[in-house]
Amino acid sequence: MAKTAIILLNLGGPDRLEAIQPFLFNLFNDKAIIALPQPARWFLAKLIARRRSPLARTIYGKIGGSSPLLENTIAQAKALEDRLGENHRCFVTMRHWHPRAAETAAEVAAWRPNRMVIMPLYPQYSTTTTASSLADWYRAAAAVGLDAPTSAICCFPRDPGLIAAAAALVRDTLEFIPRGVRFRMLFSAHGLPKKIVEGGDPYQWQVEETVGALRAALALPGLDSVVCYQSRVGPLAWIGPSTDEEIRRAAGEGLGIVVVPVAFVSEHSETLVELDIEYRHLAEKAGSPGYWRVPTVGTHPAFIDGLSRLAATAIAGKPVLASSIGGRFCPSHCRKCPLAEPRVRSAA
């Protein structure tokens, strides 16, 4: 019987404190992050990694000295593999730390699949995440001679499984809010520099699509909510409003705060430290009557069911038009890119 490999792509994170500086170097040496030619990008990445590693060590020190992202992604891979059944195997590769694409591609080649589905675990497409991870995978696959027919799932910002899982987790969290406490719901996503979005990156639009679908699924009359963006770094202007600004604004109005991560599907430093520790402290200091954070979708059954449906659609060779909404197609800015129209393609 034909064997299908599902390759889950994610960003990665340091697995120990000593890995933080090389992880940061890999991140900033990615041309999708810093669009400078080599060797200028290499030298700048070295400088940034050295300067940022002390702060990063402090951040990761708060969650045991390493990122849980790989462990969480492996759990998702196992759940998806169980859901897809016999003759399907899920592999994990990370863009900026181990297991890197070359390691995973060699493992996939040894298994000798008849077909491959590439599934980035970024619900919303961005050149800085999805495109970079896919390009990295295709390079590695070609290097080891992986030539099985391949389908890529570009994005899934309104996938019913994603939305159902997130809505269920929001409802569970709302049960903890005392009766009578007024709150504002902050749908928080990782930010991007404005120049990337202004260059045509559809990420912000897709985040808004995710939030629109989630609001509809929640169907909460009179819901007070806002879309905002976290994790800003560097001197560039970033898309907004920022999550910390919205926390201060809600607290200043005497409101409790419910934070919903809408661009992360696994717990990692941006949720466990930035949202759970730093922003909670900010909300308390600003006088908010309460702060609640909704978990990421993780291995929620509805989310895994959604991924399995996306994989089955790709395996069948059908277009995965996850974001062909409102006359806009992802990535709408990149028609010359091979990912512009999801289709069966060869890794070669």
Side-chain angles (χ1 to χ4, degrees):
M1 187 176 291
K3 300 191 299 183
T4 301
I6 315 295
I7 295 90
L8 303 182
L9 312 184
N10 217 326
L11 185 72
D15 51 11
R16 59 194 186 282
L17 291 176
E18 294 77 14
I20 288 174
Q21 189 164 324
F23 164 75
L24 290 173
F25 169 76
N26 291 342
L27 175 67
F28 291 106
N29 195 40
D30 183 348
K31 67 179 180 181
I33 305 298
I34 295 180
L36 288 176
Q38 296 289 26
R41 186 170 72 249
W42 188 94
F43 283 108
L44 183 57
K46 280 287 187 181
L47 176 63
I48 295 173
R50 186 171 65 251
R51 288 184 174 178
R52 291 194 61 188
S53 60
L55 175 60
R57 287 176 68 91
T58 300
I59 290 171
Y60 285 104
K62 295 177 181 179
I63 51 174
S66 65
S67 170
L69 186 58
L70 176 59
E71 178 184 353
N72 293 336
T73 306
I74 290 173
Q76 290 169 324
K78 179 63 167 62
L80 179 57
E81 192 173 281
D82 291 344
R83 179 68 177 79
L84 290 170
E86 190 178 4
N87 298 309
H88 296 80
R89 183 172 169 186
C90 293
F91 298 82
V92 170
T93 187
M94 298 294 181
R95 179 65 182 98
H96 298 302
W97 200 242
H98 304 291
R100 305 294 298 274
E103 302 168 57
T104 305
E107 188 181 357
V108 174
W111 193 61
R112 302 182 65 181
N114 302 101
R115 183 175 189 84
M116 296 188 296
V117 174
I118 318 304
M119 183 179 289
L121 289 178
Y122 314 109
Q124 302 87 14
Y125 178 94
S126 175
T127 53
T128 60
T129 52
T130 314
S132 177
S133 292
L134 284 166
D136 187 48
W137 170 259
Y138 286 128
R139 284 191 297 269
V144 298
L146 270 173
D147 58 0
T150 302
S151 299
I153 295 172
C154 175
C155 50
F156 46 97
R158 293 176 62 104
D159 179 73
L162 171 71
I163 301 305
L169 292 166
V170 170
R171 294 189 193 101
D172 289 346
T173 301
L174 295 182
E175 293 293 324
F176 291 96
I177 300 179
R179 187 179 300 275
V181 173
R182 295 167 51 243
F183 65 87
R184 177 167 297 147
M185 190 171 292
L186 305 185
F187 296 101
S188 184
H190 197 289
L192 274 183
K194 282 184 177 180
K195 70 174 186 177
I196 293 177
V197 173
E198 290 168 355
D201 194 295
Y203 172 77
Q204 184 176 19
W205 170 75
Q206 288 200 355
V207 166
E208 292 168 357
E209 289 291 303
T210 299
V211 172
L214 185 50
R215 282 176 174 144
L218 290 170
L220 295 173
L223 175 65
D224 182 352
S225 66
V226 65
V227 183
C228 48
Y229 297 89
Q230 63 183 89
S231 308
R232 175 185 171 181
V233 294
L236 294 175
W238 280 47
I239 56 176
S242 68
T243 303
D244 54 350
E245 289 172 351
E246 289 300 321
I247 288 172
R248 292 188 185 93
R249 186 164 73 92
E253 295 173 22
L255 299 174
I257 297 160
V258 177
V259 177
V260 186
V262 292
F264 305 124
V265 299
S266 297
E267 304 293 350
H268 59 306
S269 63
E270 272 94 348
T271 59
L272 299 175
V273 177
E274 190 169 18
L275 293 184
D276 286 355
I277 299 175
E278 296 174 357
Y279 286 171
R280 180 183 299 277
H281 176 72
L282 175 62
E284 293 171 352
K285 185 177 179 181
S288 174
Y291 181 93
W292 298 269
R293 202 268 287 182
V294 176
T296 57
V297 292
T299 56
H300 191 286
F303 178 56
I304 299 302
D305 284 347
L307 294 184
S308 71
R309 287 191 295 270
L310 288 170
T313 300
I315 291 167
K318 299 175 182 178
V320 182
L321 303 178
S323 57
S324 56
I325 301 164
R328 190 164 179 179
F329 188 78
C330 171
S332 59
H333 68 293
C334 193
R335 289 292 180 183
K336 64 183 179 181
C337 174
L339 302 176
E341 296 184 16
R343 61 187 185 277
V344 176
R345 56 165 287 180
S346 167

